[in-house]
Amino acid sequence: MNHRTCYLNTDLDITSAEDLNDLASALESKGVFPLHVTRHQSGIWTATFETDGQHQEPETNILAMLDAIESLAEAPRCAWQNCTRREFNIGYDCGHEPWAFNQGLSSRLLGRVAAVGSSLRWTLYPNRDTSTLTS
């Protein structure tokens, strides 16, 4: 099996004590789609978003989400600012090749991430035989 390391996508994960449905609708109208918006038994809300298009690197994916966040109207922007977690989670599938693999994030992007009060996280999925995985 020739499993290659590759960028998968970036999720935007948020947490809030407030209802996230209006913020989710506002982001969806700008091309950032909710995978889930959930109110937990504790009363805390969580949501995860992705962009519709596939990207080859995280920079362009995060830029698309930042454009949506930065253009939010006042009410959804307030909901965004009240979130206790605003995190871009960058996912990679890890394989045996290539020997070395790297991608970067520009200082301009990092400045924009910080300006909207967000953080970064990386998720690395191990090399695995997908034929043994069950749905």
Side-chain angles (χ1 to χ4, degrees):
M1 181 174 169
N2 185 16
H3 193 74
R4 297 185 59 80
T5 298
C6 63
Y7 170 68
L8 295 174
N9 70 337
T10 299
D11 290 344
L12 172 60
D13 298 320
I14 61 176
T15 301
S16 181
E18 299 176 12
D19 186 326
L20 291 173
N21 282 302
D22 290 342
L23 176 55
S25 293
L27 288 171
E28 185 172 11
S29 73
K30 297 175 181 300
V32 180
F33 300 94
L35 299 177
H36 78 85
V37 179
T38 306
R39 183 178 186 267
H40 300 274
Q41 287 183 343
S42 64
I44 297 298
W45 287 81
T46 62
T48 298
F49 301 86
E50 288 184 350
T51 57
D52 193 28
Q54 182 61 34
H55 298 265
Q56 297 301 309
E57 295 200 20
E59 177 118 1
T60 56
N61 201 175
I62 295 170
L63 283 171
M65 288 188 256
L66 284 169
D67 288 344
I69 293 162
E70 292 166 344
S71 68
L72 289 170
E74 186 176 343
R77 177 169 294 270
C78 184
W80 170 264
Q81 291 170 340
N82 288 336
C83 289
T84 55
R85 177 178 63 143
R86 296 173 296 269
E87 185 173 85
F88 294 101
N89 188 334
I90 304 167
Y92 287 92
D93 208 358
C94 298
H96 298 296
E97 295 188 17
W99 178 82
F101 178 88
N102 70 72
Q103 293 181 326
L105 301 173
S106 70
S107 59
R108 183 169 183 262
L109 176 82
L110 295 173
R112 287 178 67 187
V113 167
V116 298
S118 292
S119 59
L120 298 170
R121 177 177 302 271
W122 283 262
T123 300
L124 306 175
Y125 297 97
N127 183 24
R128 61 209 179 277
D129 181 1
T130 55
S131 67
T132 62
L133 297 177
T134 59
S135 302

